[in-house]
Amino acid sequence: MGRHRRGARREVTVADLIDALRRYPPEMEVRLATQPRMPQELTVGAIAEADGMVWIGEGRQEGYAPDEVADRLGWS
């Protein structure tokens, strides 16, 4: 999938993300989970293109994600 100019591997493309999201109902909300040891729940912020990539910005923090999230993401 190419390499970022700093050498880090690009793991997900726009097509990969679209394919992954197709399995869910279109009206379902989307959240970001960060910090595997204490998962935080964040809303999705702005989405923009820069530096040849699509960037998904962090929205607002909603608190801690449920334990099930860490399990399903393979963090626990």
Side-chain angles (χ1 to χ4, degrees):
M1 287 189 225
R3 294 202 174 268
H4 186 271
R5 72 186 185 298
R6 290 178 211 73
R9 185 163 177 73
R10 288 189 189 169
E11 298 294 330
V12 178
T13 66
V14 171
D16 294 334
L17 189 55
I18 290 169
D19 287 343
L21 292 172
R22 279 196 180 124
R23 71 184 83 163
Y24 304 103
E27 66 277 1
M28 188 176 271
E29 290 184 27
V30 175
R31 292 288 188 265
L32 299 174
T34 62
Q35 301 184 46
R37 293 185 66 147
M38 297 279 294
Q40 300 291 308
E41 175 185 351
L42 304 160
T43 61
V44 175
I47 299 173
E49 184 275 329
D51 195 27
M53 290 184 269
V54 174
W55 295 86
I56 300 173
E58 176 182 307
R60 68 184 177 280
Q61 185 173 350
E62 294 291 312
Y64 292 101
D67 293 338
E68 178 184 12
V69 172
D71 292 340
R72 299 247 175 137
L73 292 172
W75 291 350
S76 54

